[in-house]
Amino acid sequence: MDKITINTPLDMHLHVRDGEMLKNVMEYSSKPFAGGLIMPNTLPPISSREEILSYRKRIVEAIGDEQFEPLMSIFFKSSYDYELLESIKDLILVVKLYPSGVTTNSEGGVLSVDLDEVGETLSAMEKLGIPLSIHGETNGSTFEREAEFLPTYELLAKSFPKLKIIMEHISDRRTIELLDKYENLYATVTLHHLTVTLDDLLGGALKPHLFCKPIVKTSEDRDALQNLVLSGHKKVMFGSDSAPHPQEQKESGNGSAGIFSAPVLLQGVVELFDKNGKLENLQAFLSDNARRIYELNPKEKLVTLEKRNFTVADSYGGVVPLFAGEKLSWSLS
Ligand code: DOR
Ligand code: ZN
């Protein structure tokens, strides 16, 4: 096959920032995708009804004439009660929970993810039918952070059986086992965790543009994630975690975590499914699973790619992308 059309591709985990950066990066998502779940870890984080509305407005302005539905989120606070959540339910798709300090702009996150601290809010979300999106890492040793968080996922899944819980950007093969163990657990997977390993990040030269949280892991983890998504697993959605930072900030002595993958996402995902002879499961991963899990009904947008070499630029809008300077085998038509 040398052409493929994806029906209504969705990016269910996306950072587009604010201000000038938002204006610079939005088109790389709004052209190829029909919609995306916008993360709330701006500075300051999105944490009120007014902030959701005004942030959405700035995003819509940056989208301009493209057809792209920004699905909004709010930054989890233990102070959110039933009344507050009820008043914003129609504006958001998820509440995003960050343990404090685990990643970029997560300082206002929760100090400990235990039932004393988050139980009441989660119980209200469960009653209202608002899904919980989680950055599931501890502040432990870099390579073990996601694995150390697994008991917390289990605790939450058991304590709130009607709450949909999305394990974001899963990166460790040990996390995969939980998906089939609890009905209410779901996952997103990024393109970079499907293609990049720790050896790529620092096995040769140090590649700061491949630095992200959760950190990329071993080839065994990457292969397990590939098998999971290539199988078309119904609880797994595509969520890029595309997270732009200015080049100077990534290349400094105190480099920020985040990989800007938006310009290469569909090309990279199609290449992966094509190389593995699994194109029949591409539509489920890029759209259908998310629609079913989140009960979405997005406006149809057909996006076609063709098998034609695409050389990734060194920089887009002042940000160095994933696969900068490399050649991919699929292009957007
Ligand atoms: O690497 C990351 N960057 N991981 C995250 O969870 C957040 C993101 C960002 O906002 O830069
Ligand atoms: Zn993220």
Side-chain angles (χ1 to χ4, degrees), residues 8-19:
T8 317
L10 300 170
D11 183 346
M12 299 313 294
H13 184 131
L14 176 62
H15 301 264
V16 292
R17 314 303 189 203
D18 210 338

Side-chain angles (χ1 to χ4, degrees), residues 13 15 39 96 169 241:
H13 184 131
H15 301 264
M39 289 295 134
K96 173 73 187 280
H169 41 56
D241 203 13

Side-chain angles (χ1 to χ4, degrees), residues 182-231:
Y182 296 94
E183 207 184 320
N184 54 336
L185 286 183
Y186 303 86
T188 57
V189 181
T190 74
L191 175 61
H192 50 270
H193 291 107
L194 287 168
T195 52
V196 179
T197 67
L198 190 68
D199 290 315
D200 301 314
L201 168 64
L202 43 70
L206 176 63
K207 301 278 178 59
H209 299 287
L210 298 180
F211 173 57
C212 64
K213 294 184 176 179
I215 194 115
V216 292
K217 301 209 166 51
T218 65
S219 53
E220 287 80 15
D221 295 293
R222 177 203 58 197
D223 293 350
L225 289 171
Q226 285 192 5
N227 289 335
L228 176 72
V229 307
L230 291 168
S231 76

Side-chain angles (χ1 to χ4, degrees), residues 55-321:
Y55 187 35
R56 188 174 196 286
K57 190 157 168 266
R58 295 192 294 281
I59 292 170
V60 167
E61 271 164 28
I63 293 168
D65 293 335
E66 296 295 339
Q67 183 197 325
F68 182 91
E69 179 66 27
L71 303 158
M72 304 304 289
S73 64
I74 191 168
F75 193 97
F76 184 100
K77 302 255 179 183
S78 313
S79 57
Y80 297 163
D81 58 11
Y82 186 91
E83 207 185 345
L84 178 280
L85 291 164
E86 192 177 30
S87 76
I88 58 169
K89 179 178 158 46
D90 294 340
L91 304 178
I92 56 166
L93 190 63
V94 301
V95 179
K96 173 73 187 280
L97 188 151
Y98 290 91
S100 178
V102 295
T103 192
T104 306
N105 304 346
S106 64
E107 292 69 26
V110 296
L111 294 176
S112 55
V113 191
D114 58 30
L115 297 183
D116 283 344
E117 184 161 346
V118 303
E120 267 186 49
T121 305
L122 295 188
S123 168
M125 286 169 58
E126 184 182 38
K127 284 192 194 107
L128 287 160
I130 304 174
L132 172 70
S133 155
I134 306 192
H135 184 118
E137 288 197 284
T138 67
N139 284 293
S141 181
T142 304
F143 234 56
E144 293 301 310
R145 286 172 184 169
E146 186 172 304
E148 285 175 6
F149 196 83
L150 299 182
T152 304
Y153 278 136
E154 296 211 45
L155 172 71
L156 300 182
K158 274 191 253 185
S159 308
F160 305 99
K162 294 263 173 312
L163 178 69
K164 285 186 179 170
I165 300 172
I166 297 90
M167 305 187 286
E168 297 291 346
H169 41 56
I170 62 171
S171 67
D172 187 310
R173 61 191 186 279
R174 291 168 284 186
T175 308
I176 296 173
E177 290 156 33
L178 285 192
L179 268 178
D180 293 320
K181 198 166 163 195
Y182 296 94
E183 207 184 320
N184 54 336
L185 286 183
Y186 303 86
T188 57
V189 181
T190 74
L191 175 61
H192 50 270
H193 291 107
L194 287 168
T195 52
V196 179
T197 67
L198 190 68
D199 290 315
D200 301 314
L201 168 64
L202 43 70
L206 176 63
K207 301 278 178 59
H209 299 287
L210 298 180
F211 173 57
C212 64
K213 294 184 176 179
I215 194 115
V216 292
K217 301 209 166 51
T218 65
S219 53
E220 287 80 15
D221 295 293
R222 177 203 58 197
D223 293 350
L225 289 171
Q226 285 192 5
N227 289 335
L228 176 72
V229 307
L230 291 168
S231 76
H233 195 295
K234 288 192 148 21
K235 297 175 87 180
V236 179
M237 306 172 269
F238 177 60
S240 71
D241 203 13
S242 178
H245 292 275
Q247 182 167 1
E248 318 79 72
Q249 219 159 297
K250 291 288 292 174
E251 296 176 3
S252 80
N254 199 14
S256 307
I259 296 179
F260 179 49
S261 52
V264 301
L265 291 171
L266 289 184
Q267 302 91 324
V269 172
V270 171
E271 180 162 329
L272 176 71
F273 277 70
D274 182 31
K275 276 196 174 148
N276 288 280
K278 289 287 180 191
L279 283 174
E280 74 268 21
N281 288 332
L282 182 69
Q283 178 65 31
F285 180 53
L286 285 175
S287 184
D288 296 355
N289 290 348
R291 291 196 232 180
R292 193 178 53 255
I293 293 166
Y294 280 121
E295 298 164 43
L296 299 171
N297 196 6
K299 195 166 157 218
E300 184 178 84
K301 177 171 176 178
L302 300 177
V303 179
T304 300
L305 290 96
E306 51 198 78
K307 208 166 195 167
R308 171 167 53 81
N309 280 345
F310 161 55
T311 304
V312 182
D314 293 331
S315 155
Y316 293 89
V319 185
V320 179

